[in-house]
Amino acid sequence: MSSKSNLLRTVFEASIPIFYRLILRGKLSEGVFKEPWRLRMLDFDFLCGRETPSVAGIINPGSEGFQKLFFGQEEIAIPVHSTIEAACAAHPTADVFINFASFRSAAASSMAALKQPTIRVAAIIAEGVPEADAKQLIGYARANNKVVIGPATVGGIQAGAFKIGDTAGTIDNIIHCKLYRPGSVGFVSKSGGMSNELYNTIARVTNGIYEGIAIGGDVFPGSTLSDHVLRFNNIPQVKMVVVLGELGGRDEYSLVEALKQGKINKPVVAWVSGTCARLFKSEVQFGHAGAKSGGEMESAQAKNQALRDVGAVVPTSYEAFESAIKETFEKLVEEGKITPVKEVTPPQIPEDLNTAIKSGKVRAPTHIISTISDDRGEEPTYAGVPMSSIVEQGLGVGDVISLLWFKRSLPRYCTRFIEICIMLCADHGPCVSGAHNTIVTARAGKDLVSSLVSGLLTIGPRFGGAVDDAARYFKDAYDRGLTPYEFVESMKKKGIRVPGIGHRIKRGDNRDKRVELLQHFARTNFPSVKYMEYAVEVETYTLSKANNLVLNVDGAIGSLFLDLLAGSGMFTKQEIDEVVGIGYLNGLFVLARSIGLIGHTFDQKRLKQPLYRHPWEDVLYTK
């Protein structure tokens, strides 16, 4: 045999392939299957009883790391490499390169792989590879004693050992065709789809295939039908050969010559499809690029007759193909050339959990509960309201907060109040603790998120975090019927400052404008402002004690939110207590102040301010 035939003899003896794919994980070659091709190959490995998977690595340009995949019940990590060179260096025993890249880059990446000293075989899955590129690849491979399978191949399979790509289809089909253990038939075809059909046919009437391969339907395939038939002739386990050709080209005639010269001594059952082409008045282009007759010699009828004339078993029609295979196999059995194959029970491929759940076979607990949004449909929904509806109705941020926080559509005056709170609390200058922390962090060169979080972490009982406490204490005092005097004095006895009362700058004669705006809006729009009025009465009493004990913005928002919840008629008493207890109201301040803190971060970045160092003169150094 030629050196090329010697190499083809070992196409499937390579134990570890390298996979090349060019686009994002899970987006290529999925077809109608639910599992990615990588997992389907590993499932075949497991089905065949391999102890180690056939996949050595994945090449994904620009990406490195690992991809988790199942090998039977065990989850394994397959290395991901960014370049062909890196993958070949990391896996020197991997000598089969399977290229799932598109036709736009398949040729260049395959050539790069063939130039690696460790790669002997390149299988190209893509259809539509330019013919000039295919010729160049084939020429380079032949000159360097390497093999190209494809382009436009579905792959190949050695039963019970190893498979390339998506050949043989689903695991159910593989089991049905008994591909998990070797048979006695060598099969080669141009068509990948028909390969799956013939695997089934051969399994019905013989003991199954030993090896099958689809060379691809392009005009210039990397290997030919006769290459593989000659290879099968030298594999002891292969006792007969089945060939499926097609009209167009003259590849089948190289097989005719090999048979005529006596190079093949095993029975060959062959059929060339496309006999229906004569029914058409003009030339017909079938599915493959090479499947069109360029003259009488390239017709299916001429090829079938030529094969028949040199001793191949050629039926009169495709319908009779199965019977011809069966008769040839049974004759070999009678002659004692084929002994019965020991049947084995393949291991059960573990079913994917999602598939099992959908089929009702198992039930599994969920890990997260979500009641505010759903992204499983055509568009996301907030509390059941489609995103498009929110936009079409002209709803605002307050309405979105209403849906995501309170799980209901509050009246417009309520959502408008929420928006006012956000606007009024967005910022309070650079000197408050939150803004100061954010500014210092931004000037230290930290990123936006770090700068924002450093400011947010200062929010608490002493800075902006008193809204919930103010609401809680005002509500408790009002609901128990305490007078402002009784409320304030009871808090004093407990050693607790009244949340929502007191300001470092504002005084009784210099009220906080934000508080006045909130109170005006509420008196104008709210059905009831009983909690706010109670807070004002408390303020009147505390001002009699000190001029800075005014109702601050925390107290105003806290008391008015109680009026919003109670006055809207959409919340039960238990729900109101829950809103206050969980921390909803502080959430308003956090959301609002984030706007200002982000602004301060951008301001410092824009001004290119240097690292901040606090001045010595502003520090009291003492023992």
Side-chain angles (χ1 to χ4, degrees):
M1 286 191 302
S2 68
S3 59
K4 181 181 178 184
S5 296
N6 282 321
L7 178 57
L8 279 167
R9 170 67 180 86
T10 59
V11 164
F12 288 108
E13 292 177 358
S15 61
I16 310 176
I18 288 181
F19 295 85
Y20 179 89
R21 77 190 157 102
L22 193 61
I23 64 174
L24 294 177
R25 185 170 294 128
K27 297 295 184 183
L28 186 61
S29 297
E30 298 307 316
V32 298
F33 300 103
K34 294 181 179 179
E35 304 87 5
W37 48 264
R38 306 167 293 283
L39 180 57
R40 291 194 294 277
M41 293 190 68
L42 293 179
D43 281 347
F44 180 75
D45 292 343
F46 178 77
L47 194 70
C48 296
R50 290 183 64 126
E51 294 183 0
T52 57
S54 62
V55 182
I58 297 170
I59 303 171
N60 187 18
S63 177
E64 293 183 348
F66 293 89
Q67 182 178 12
K68 294 194 303 178
L69 293 169
F70 278 105
F71 182 58
Q73 191 70 37
E74 181 185 2
E75 197 170 22
I76 61 175
I78 302 293
V80 177
H81 306 279
S82 61
T83 66
I84 294 171
E85 293 76 12
C88 292
H91 310 287
T93 60
D95 51 8
V96 178
F97 175 85
I98 306 176
N99 197 338
F100 282 90
S102 73
F103 70 92
R104 287 178 288 272
S105 59
S109 50
S110 295
M111 181 62 78
L114 288 172
K115 289 182 178 180
Q116 301 304 308
T118 56
I119 297 299
R120 299 184 301 146
V121 180
I124 305 172
I125 308 300
E127 297 182 14
V129 174
E131 292 180 2
D133 292 341
K135 288 181 180 179
Q136 185 179 12
L137 282 170
I138 295 167
Y140 181 87
R142 289 176 177 170
N144 291 273
N145 198 29
K146 299 190 177 189
V147 174
V148 173
I149 301 175
T153 179
V154 74
I157 187 167
Q158 183 176 328
F162 168 66
K163 84 182 186 102
I164 291 175
D166 274 331
T167 190
T170 64
I171 289 296
D172 288 340
N173 188 64
I174 287 172
I175 294 174
H176 183 72
C177 297
K178 301 178 182 179
L179 296 172
Y180 52 84
R181 54 94 175 128
S184 302
V185 180
F187 171 73
V188 61
S189 167
K190 288 186 176 181
S191 169
M194 289 304 296
S195 293
N196 292 347
E197 179 66 26
L198 263 295
Y199 292 151
N200 196 337
T201 298
I202 292 170
R204 284 199 302 268
V205 297
T206 73
N207 62 8
I209 73 160
Y210 178 81
E211 183 184 308
I213 194 160
I215 65 172
D218 278 2
V219 178
F220 299 102
S223 57
T224 65
L225 297 174
S226 59
D227 286 334
H228 294 282
V229 174
L230 289 169
R231 183 165 58 83
F232 294 155
N233 194 64
N234 290 279
I235 299 176
Q237 296 91 330
V238 174
K239 305 302 182 182
M240 63 177 285
V241 179
V242 176
V243 179
L244 180 64
E246 64 185 19
L247 84 165
R250 301 197 176 190
D251 189 9
E252 289 80 2
Y253 288 105
S254 63
L255 178 56
V256 169
E257 286 301 313
L259 286 165
K260 185 185 297 185
Q261 295 172 18
K263 294 181 178 179
I264 301 167
N265 53 32
K266 295 179 180 179
V268 175
V269 184
W271 176 253
V272 179
S273 60
T275 54
C276 65
R278 284 186 176 177
L279 299 176
F280 300 93
K281 294 181 180 180
S282 60
E283 183 179 86
V284 178
Q285 170 72 62
F286 287 84
H288 295 151
K292 64 178 180 179
S293 179
E296 177 59 26
M297 283 194 67
E298 294 188 8
S299 68
Q301 284 85 349
K303 292 181 179 182
N304 280 325
Q305 188 59 49
L307 287 165
R308 190 180 292 116
D309 291 343
V310 293
V313 178
V314 181
T316 56
S317 67
Y318 178 78
E319 287 72 16
F321 199 19
E322 180 174 336
S323 297
I325 297 170
K326 180 180 181 182
E327 291 170 5
T328 302
F329 177 79
E330 290 177 346
K331 183 179 179 181
L332 291 170
V333 172
E334 291 175 4
E335 295 172 352
K337 295 180 179 179
I338 294 180
T339 57
V341 173
K342 181 181 179 181
E343 291 295 341
V344 297
T345 301
Q348 181 71 36
I349 299 293
E351 190 170 16
D352 179 73
L353 179 60
N354 292 332
T355 303
I357 291 174
K358 289 180 180 178
S359 64
K361 294 181 180 179
V362 298
R363 56 187 181 186
T366 56
H367 300 288
I368 294 177
I369 301 174
S370 176
T371 64
I372 64 171
S373 62
D374 193 335
D375 61 344
R376 294 172 298 176
E378 293 184 1
E379 60 176 320
T381 60
Y382 293 166
V385 180
M387 187 76 69
S388 58
S389 177
I390 294 172
V391 175
E392 290 165 1
Q393 295 180 51
L395 303 182
V397 172
D399 299 283
V400 172
I401 293 173
S402 165
L403 294 170
L404 292 178
W405 291 17
F406 301 102
K407 294 172 56 179
R408 64 204 75 187
S409 294
L410 295 174
R412 182 53 186 156
Y413 75 86
C414 296
T415 60
R416 178 58 182 159
F417 176 76
I418 292 173
E419 291 170 354
I420 292 173
C421 290
I422 292 173
M423 290 188 290
L424 295 180
C425 296
D427 192 52
H428 203 197
C431 297
V432 295
S433 58
H436 180 80
N437 272 16
T438 290
I439 290 171
V440 172
T441 306
R443 289 177 60 167
K446 302 292 285 185
D447 59 276
L448 171 62
V449 174
S450 300
S451 302
L452 171 62
V453 169
S454 69
L456 291 176
L457 289 174
T458 64
I459 295 176
R462 297 183 180 181
F463 170 62
V467 184
D468 283 317
D469 286 341
R472 187 179 302 110
Y473 282 112
F474 282 142
K475 183 178 185 300
D476 177 71
Y478 178 86
D479 291 349
R480 289 195 294 136
L482 298 180
T483 65
Y485 168 80
E486 293 171 331
F487 170 51
V488 174
E489 295 304 320
S490 65
M491 295 288 285
K492 182 178 179 181
K493 288 180 181 179
K494 297 175 184 177
I496 303 174
R497 294 181 178 181
V498 178
I501 295 291
H503 202 285
R504 294 193 63 179
I505 299 175
K506 299 301 178 181
R507 299 289 186 270
D509 54 356
N510 179 27
R511 301 295 180 90
D512 191 329
K513 187 65 176 179
R514 297 175 298 174
V515 173
E516 293 177 348
L517 289 170
L518 290 169
Q519 290 175 333
H520 175 74
F521 180 86
R523 289 191 174 102
T524 305
N525 296 279
F526 282 22
S528 170
V529 288
K530 60 182 182 181
Y531 288 108
M532 185 199 74
E533 296 296 359
Y534 181 75
V536 171
E537 292 176 9
V538 171
E539 178 192 44
T540 301
Y541 177 73
T542 56
L543 282 174
S544 66
K545 293 180 169 293
N547 199 32
N548 70 325
L549 296 179
V550 295
L551 182 67
N552 58 37
V553 72
D554 291 347
I557 292 176
S559 59
L560 284 172
F561 229 102
L562 292 173
D563 288 322
L564 182 152
L565 297 171
S568 67
M570 300 180 69
F571 298 87
T572 64
K573 182 180 182 302
Q574 181 180 357
E575 287 176 325
I576 295 173
D577 290 338
E578 186 178 57
V579 166
V580 175
I582 289 177
Y584 276 54
L585 309 187
N586 276 350
L588 271 181
F589 184 83
V590 171
L591 175 62
R593 192 49 57 93
S594 294
I595 298 172
L597 298 179
I598 291 173
H600 283 296
T601 301
F602 291 155
D603 190 42
Q604 298 303 307
K605 299 285 188 183
R606 183 173 55 249
L607 295 172
K608 297 180 174 58
Q609 290 296 285
L611 179 68
Y612 175 83
R613 179 181 175 84
H614 204 72
W616 291 335
E617 57 269 21
D618 196 37
V619 176
L620 173 61
Y621 293 93
T622 183
K623 294 181 180 180

